[in-house]
Amino acid sequence: MTSQIRAQERNQKIIKTAWSGLAAKIITVSVSLVMVPLSVYYLGKEQYGLWVTVSSMVAMLSFMDGGAGNAVINLIAHSAGANDNNLVKIISTAFFSLAALALIGCLLFLAAFPFVSWGWLLGVPDSSPLTELNAVVIIVGIFFFVSIFTTLVGKIQRGLQEGSLDNFWAALASILSLIFVYVAIQNSASLLGFVIAFLVGPLLAYMTSNIHYYFIRRRDLRPQLGRFDRVIAKNLFAVGGMFFVLQIAGVLQGQADNVIIANMLGPAAVADYSICMKLFLIPPMLFGLMLTPLWPAYREAVGSGDMQWVKQIFIKSMRAALLISLPSAILLVLFGSQIIALWVNHGVVPSTGLLIGCGCWMVALSLGSAAAVVVNALQIMTPQIIAAFLSGVVNIVLTIWLIPHVGAEGAVYGTLISYVFCVVPIYWLYLRKVMR
């Protein structure tokens, strides 16, 4: 097969995944737009902020997969590009490795649980009952560890440039979550009942996705314990080790903000911050639809030696990032308060400083995401790890220092400043070198 034919097939798969992703993301965003005011109205600002904080805190455990989840995309895409017939071994090795890691991680989480003061960490007053809070943390933690291996099928599909399948199940997960939450609210569920209803939908969707893919669509790729390969496992975690450090850095850069705000200002402040941030992250989320199919496509192109295609698509993606994010940021900064008032109301009023900070972060994140996809696909890991880890540490320090001076908006400025000065320069230097 010539490089031109490969490029045509690659472009067709990208377009198919992008369009299906657009449909799925429209559904996901629409569900989110309904879910937020529904949740704030039912739970109130403080309990909603508490729920968001618990979710962020448990998401900080994402590094527990050892980076293997993201490494799977590269290994499968490279194997498909090189036609080395290792797909079943890679999938089987990844599936059972992540299942074991999820079990170990869950046991460690449950063992450490009694020794953490969750009320203090989440900014809950001492007078508040902590029994339900503890139950919420346990439930969210267990669901999270189960998702480590149930969502692996989506990464496999993306590695094979079948991202349209993962897009479908992601959309279904959102719809089921909304349905279950609505039923829970109609039955006057407690915070714990609300959380369980929210989490059950995605779990059912991805369990069904696994059954459909391995037992109906691609029986030839069904994980088999006998096909577990130690050499591939070693390679999986060697590549994953790089992503492991990146995930820790990503936690410091993104998920820590809500926990810090809750600890310093209380859960109600998290509601204002997270809702404003959620609004501004919609355009980058939609732009991410273009980027998602590019990762395996870049990697497959590298495997087949077509670096010229990588360069052309990367330049186009950076232009698209700027054209989409900048006008969106300006509009949301100008009219964000009115939009949030119509969307959520219930006392959620973002400050001008928070709106401006979120707008600047939107532009930086969009450009950085376009760069990160090609960097990950090319496995330029060491400089990226240094930049991300440094940025995460600086972000936490700046956030803790800024919040007492400017309020919750200090979190977004800490994130923005650390990203611009720690990540962007290193991305620029290495990508410029590689593209030349």
Side-chain angles (χ1 to χ4, degrees):
M1 184 182 295
T2 65
S3 60
Q4 184 177 2
I5 295 176
R6 278 183 177 273
Q8 289 175 349
E9 290 187 354
R10 199 180 300 126
N11 290 335
Q12 289 173 357
K13 290 179 179 179
I14 289 173
I15 292 171
K16 182 179 179 180
T17 301
W19 277 110
S20 65
L22 177 61
K25 195 59 67 176
I26 288 174
I27 293 173
T28 302
V29 171
S30 299
V31 168
S32 179
L33 291 175
V34 174
M35 188 78 78
V36 170
L38 189 67
S39 304
V40 175
Y41 174 77
Y42 182 70
L43 297 175
K45 277 182 63 174
E46 185 165 339
Q47 281 202 323
Y48 175 79
L50 185 62
W51 154 235
V52 170
T53 307
V54 171
S55 301
S56 298
M57 183 182 60
V58 174
M60 292 172 69
L61 300 173
S62 60
F63 62 86
M64 289 296 297
D65 70 349
N70 286 327
V72 165
I73 297 176
N74 274 5
L75 291 180
I76 287 180
H78 192 277
S79 177
N83 293 317
D84 59 12
N85 298 317
N86 278 331
L87 283 177
V88 178
K89 287 185 177 180
I90 294 173
I91 291 171
S92 298
T93 302
F95 182 87
F96 291 106
S97 295
L98 288 181
L101 280 175
L103 178 60
I104 294 171
C106 188
L107 293 176
L108 290 174
F109 170 74
L110 293 176
F113 179 85
F115 302 99
V116 179
S117 177
W118 300 103
W120 172 84
L121 185 62
L122 300 174
V124 176
D126 294 335
S127 58
S128 301
L130 298 179
T131 303
E132 187 175 39
L133 172 61
N134 290 336
V136 168
V137 174
I138 289 177
I139 291 297
V140 174
I142 292 173
F143 271 82
F144 167 79
F145 284 107
V146 171
S147 72
I148 286 180
F149 69 92
T150 57
T151 58
L152 173 65
V153 66
K155 294 181 174 66
I156 292 169
Q157 290 163 350
R158 293 191 181 281
L160 293 172
Q161 294 184 258
E162 296 178 333
S164 55
L165 293 174
D166 189 40
N167 291 331
F168 168 78
W169 294 107
L172 180 61
S174 295
I175 294 172
L176 289 177
S177 184
L178 179 61
I179 292 173
F180 287 129
V181 163
Y182 179 77
V183 172
I185 291 175
Q186 291 300 307
N187 287 275
S188 302
S190 62
L191 175 62
L192 179 60
F194 176 92
V195 169
I196 293 174
F198 183 90
L199 296 172
V200 163
L203 178 63
L204 289 177
Y206 279 105
M207 290 294 290
T208 307
S209 174
N210 278 266
I211 295 171
H212 169 263
Y213 196 70
Y214 295 132
F215 291 90
I216 299 176
R217 183 181 178 88
R218 294 298 302 267
R219 296 181 181 180
D220 57 312
L221 299 181
R222 187 186 306 169
Q224 304 169 40
L225 187 57
R227 302 302 296 272
F228 183 92
D229 189 294
R230 292 185 179 181
V231 175
I232 291 177
K234 183 178 180 180
N235 189 25
L236 178 68
F237 287 101
V239 176
M242 299 293 187
F243 288 109
F244 171 74
V245 181
L246 278 178
Q247 285 170 208
I248 294 178
V251 164
L252 298 177
Q253 183 71 32
Q255 300 296 339
D257 286 350
N258 286 328
V259 179
I260 295 173
I261 293 172
N263 181 265
M264 299 181 73
L265 302 177
V270 177
D272 292 335
Y273 178 82
S274 65
I275 288 172
C276 185
M277 185 65 78
K278 190 180 291 287
L279 174 65
F280 276 82
L281 287 180
I282 290 175
M285 189 186 302
L286 295 176
F287 174 63
L289 298 175
M290 297 174 54
L291 301 178
T292 300
L294 289 183
W295 183 339
Y298 280 142
R299 190 62 193 165
E300 190 272 333
V302 172
S304 59
D306 194 358
M307 283 299 296
Q308 183 61 29
W309 183 88
V310 173
K311 180 178 180 180
Q312 291 174 351
I313 299 301
F314 169 66
I315 293 173
K316 290 181 180 179
S317 70
M318 291 296 285
R319 290 173 180 169
L322 192 60
L323 289 174
I324 292 172
S325 64
L326 188 57
S328 301
I330 293 172
L331 288 173
L332 289 178
V333 168
L334 294 175
F335 303 107
S337 295
Q338 294 89 328
I339 294 172
I340 290 176
L342 291 172
W343 174 32
V344 181
N345 201 353
H346 303 298
V348 178
V349 183
S351 66
T352 302
L354 181 57
L355 292 170
I356 294 173
C358 288
C360 293
W361 173 235
M362 178 203 295
V363 176
L365 179 62
S366 298
L367 292 169
S369 298
V373 171
V374 69
V375 167
N376 286 335
L378 294 174
Q379 291 186 193
I380 307 173
M381 304 304 293
T382 302
Q384 188 180 185
I385 287 170
I386 295 172
F389 195 78
L390 180 61
S391 175
V393 173
V394 172
N395 173 48
I396 288 181
V397 173
L398 283 176
T399 298
I400 293 174
W401 181 75
L402 287 171
I403 286 178
H405 294 85
V406 298
E409 64 197 59
V412 71
Y413 285 106
T415 301
L416 177 64
I417 293 170
S418 62
Y419 190 82
V420 169
F421 286 97
C422 298
V423 176
V424 172
I426 293 181
Y427 273 11
W428 170 256
L429 289 174
Y430 277 85
L431 283 175
R432 186 181 180 187
K433 179 180 178 181
V434 169
M435 293 306 166
R436 283 182 174 178

